């Protein structure tokens, strides 16, 4: 097992065996190196090959089932920015659908009641499309991420897909892949992938909140420790305060988390994002009754429910001040309105020299346009 | 209706009404209205019954309202027709007579469900047909009834008397029983809340109860306070969204103080999301224009107070 060291082998073998009861793979990818690797890492998960995903037995359509699928074709899109809000100008690569880390605010909770965790094994088309976009935008920074519909690194020590993508995009220096996670599963990549093209992104929330609301994730302190290992190995990291949840208990804890970022050299923090908790109305019923959801939310211009604008601005300003005291890394807002941007930063991202490069307009051709 | 036997016989309304009332479950005005005059002239389809007067009591399967009407009008006999002694097919026939898919009340549906459950094993095609006569599918009907049966008693009662719908009931099932019982009491029905207002009211109540960790007695007091108010939903909204309501009230005050009587319409962005207020006015005389201008100057004087809201 070349890509894991022996202590990681033990750790991940037991971790994934505890996480899954069944492992299915579609015939078309059953012999794919990524699937073979996964079977080697966790040989105790009962494995079965299927002609197609429809054959997963009804009683196994749940989060404790892992399903590797083929399905070439486009999995690269733009980050789903919303009406009237400024999107973070990001390309998304859909590798994973589902996650059972159990964050109470995540819509995956309702999705998972009837679906296995699905991994799109074949990344060739996605790599080709990323390459095409990178060529079209030569000279501009193209940011892509795999953490839109699942955690980028949660299953990576099993399939090692990120390394494959990174290998595929090596010839496009303006393309950066962010691996966004609530785990500390970075060690299998450190020293093995090119630091110029990868950013390890860690979502951060206060420990007390994470313990209750992100129960199966790796505790924030360990995520920070993984960030430190990444930095020491010469990689850049990113931090995402998202979702920011306010309460009497969390205010102080966020301040402390911001302070902790001071131990990272600014030049090795690629970016930091902030986004207060939000949800579309139709998903409210699917979310459990958690105390933080009983705060005051109002529909913003994109229809998503957020804290009152004035309260969001206050939260962001306070956090920005704490961050500015310890780092000069670029800080941006995730899915916020132009008004909030102006109130917090004094301008929209393209008007701010430190953010202009991250928010440069990208040319993203529609699928099927000549590559 | 091939399940009806061919021979029509006469039975007195009194005999029909004194038989078992098992199938007397439809309480909304029937889609098929017979009317006394037609009953008198015999212009109606024979009433379906189980049994035959020559062999003992008969059980009326459908038409209780019409038979009562006939009894009150003093009619001596009504035409009846025998059907097989099976609850499931009797229900199917009764529904065919009702002819109002999609309009059965929760109480009617539940009575029907209980009869079906008590009946001999019911073939799935019968459930499917019954579902479609009710205006949905057999599976949807069964699922709805099972959801209903999983509710606590007090909530079920509120659904049966149509104070709340099933979805709201499910959402609010965990509220203290005292509050749920209130939903079936006259004081609640007297408040005359629509389904949608009820849904909002209970959602607000539930969220306040959870957020503030109210004791059952306090939760009931809150509900009663709301029901005694002229606008129960607004009453609870003030408690659920204090910041938003405070801003709305402050804006109202400012609007009144700066523009009342001036002919200037001033509005804030929805939910105070955004950075601009909207002004609208028309004028057709110098005097009007001066009034509008004075209002604008007033707004300008208090500009910071407006801005505070966004
Ligand atoms: S880690 Fe991400 S994808 Fe997984 S449950 Fe949490 S929020 Fe959802």
């Amino acid at each position: 097992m070349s890509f894991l060291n022996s202590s990681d082998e033990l750790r991940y073998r037991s971790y994934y065996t505890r996480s899954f009861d069944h492992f299915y793979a579609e015939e078309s990818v059953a012999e794919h190196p990524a699937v073979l690797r996964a079977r080697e890492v966790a040989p105790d998960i009962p494995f079965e090959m299927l002609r197609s995903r429809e054959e997963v037995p009804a009683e196994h359509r749940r989060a404790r089932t892992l399903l590797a699928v083929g399905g070439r074709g486009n999995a690269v899109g733009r980050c789903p920015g919303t009406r009237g809000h400024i999107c973070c100008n990001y390309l998304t690569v859909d590798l994973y659908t589902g996650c059972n880390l159990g964050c109470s605010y995540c819509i995956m909770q309702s999705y998972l009641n009837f679906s296995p965790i699905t991994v799109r094994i074949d990344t060739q088309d996605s790599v080709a499309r990323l390459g095409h976009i990178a060529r079209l935008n030569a000279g501009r920074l193209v940011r892509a991420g795999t953490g839109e519909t699942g955690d980028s690194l949660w299953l990576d020590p099993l399939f090692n897909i990120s390394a494959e993508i990174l290998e595929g995009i090596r010839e496009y220096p303006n393309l950066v892949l962010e691996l966004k996670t609530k785990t500390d599963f970075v060690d299998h990549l450190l020293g093995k992938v090119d630091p110029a093209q990868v950013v390890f992104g860690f979502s951060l929330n206060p420990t007390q909140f994470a313990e209750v609301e992100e129960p199966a994730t790796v505790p924030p302190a360990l995520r920070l420790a993984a960030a430190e290992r990444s930095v020491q190995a010469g990689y850049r990291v990113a931090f995402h305060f998202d979702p920011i949840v306010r309460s009497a208990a969390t205010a102080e804890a966020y301040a402390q988390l911001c302070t902790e970022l001071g131990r990272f050299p600014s030049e090795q923090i690629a970016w930091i994002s902030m986004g207060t908790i939000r949800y579309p109305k139709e998903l409210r019923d699917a979310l459990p009754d958690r105390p933080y959801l009983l705060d005051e939310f109002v529909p913003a211009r994109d229809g998503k429910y957020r804290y009152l604008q004035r309260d969001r601005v206050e939260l962001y300003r306070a956090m920005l001040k704490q961050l500015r005291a310890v780092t000069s890394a670029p800080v941006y807002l995730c899915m916020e309105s132009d008004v909030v941007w102006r109130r917090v930063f004094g301008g929209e991202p393209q008007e701010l020299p430190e953010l202009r490069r991250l928010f440069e307009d990208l040319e993203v051709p529609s699928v099927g346009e000549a590559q | 209706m091939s399940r009806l036997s061919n021979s029509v016989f006469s039975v007195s309304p009194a005999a029909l009404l004194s038989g078992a009332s098992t199938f007397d479950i439809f309480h909304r005005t029937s889609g098929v209205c017979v009317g006394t005059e037609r009953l008198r002239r015999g212009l109606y389809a024979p009433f379906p019954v189980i049994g035959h007067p020559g062999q003992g009591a008969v059980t009326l399967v459908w038409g209780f309202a019409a038979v009562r009407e006939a009894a009150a009008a003093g009619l001596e006999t009504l035409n009846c027709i025998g059907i097989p002694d099976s609850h499931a097919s009797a229900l199917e026939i009764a529904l065919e007579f009702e002819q109002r898919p999609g309009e059965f009340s929760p109480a009617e549906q539940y009575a029907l469900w209980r009869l079906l459950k008590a009946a001999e094993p019911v073939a799935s095609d019968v459930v499917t047909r019954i579902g479609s006569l009710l205006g949905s599918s057999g599976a949807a009907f069964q699922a709805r009834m099972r959801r209903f049966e999983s509710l606590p008693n007090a909530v079920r009662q509120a659904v049966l008397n149509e104070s709340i719908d099933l979805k709201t009931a499910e959402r609010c099932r965990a509220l203290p029983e005292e509050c749920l019982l209130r939903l079936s009491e006259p004081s609640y029905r007297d408040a005359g809340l629509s389904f949608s207002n009820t849904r909002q009211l209970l959602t607000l109540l539930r969220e306040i109860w959870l957020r503030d960790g109210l004791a059952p007695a306090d939760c009931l007091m809150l509900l009663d306070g709301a029901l005694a108010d002229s606008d129960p939903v607004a009453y609870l909204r003030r408690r659920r969204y204090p910041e938003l309501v405070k801003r709305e009230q402050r804006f109202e005050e400012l609007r009144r103080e700066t523009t009342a009587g001036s002919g200037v319409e001033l509005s804030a962005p929805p939910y105070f999301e955004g950075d601009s207020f909207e002004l609208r006015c028309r004028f057709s005389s110098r005097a009007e224009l001066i009034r509008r201008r004075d209002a604008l100057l007033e707004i300008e004087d208090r500009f910071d107070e407006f801005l505070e809201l966004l």
Side-chain angles (χ1 to χ4, degrees), chain B residues 141-197:
Chain B
F141 172 56
Q142 287 190 42
R144 203 162 55 241
M145 290 299 107
R146 293 204 172 110
R147 280 163 58 201
F148 173 79
E149 284 186 324
S150 74
L151 294 170
N153 270 335
V155 198
R156 276 200 212 184
Q157 211 39 57
V159 174
L160 290 180
N161 65 33
E162 298 180 58
S163 302
I164 56 176
D165 58 22
L166 184 57
K167 198 165 167 224
T168 309
E170 285 177 319
R171 197 100 184 94
C172 302
R173 57 183 298 159
L175 274 170
E177 199 181 3
E178 292 87 333
C179 297
L180 297 171
L181 286 169
R182 188 64 98 239
L183 304 180
S184 299
E185 288 174 9
S187 66
Y188 184 80
R189 291 206 292 276
D190 289 349
L193 292 169
S194 65
F195 258 175
S196 112
N197 277 344

Side-chain angles (χ1 to χ4, degrees), chain B residues 256-292:
Chain B
R256 232 185 4 256
E257 288 165 13
T258 52
T259 65
S262 69
V264 170
E265 282 174 40
L266 176 61
S267 50
Y271 301 100
F272 304 100
E273 274 287 317
D275 59 357
S276 50
F277 292 88
E278 190 179 287
L279 283 168
R280 275 199 302 187
C281 62
R282 290 159 167 269
F283 61 90
S284 50
S285 68
R286 182 177 294 272
E288 275 180 1
L289 181 60
I290 290 171
R291 274 211 306 280
R292 318 281 192 261

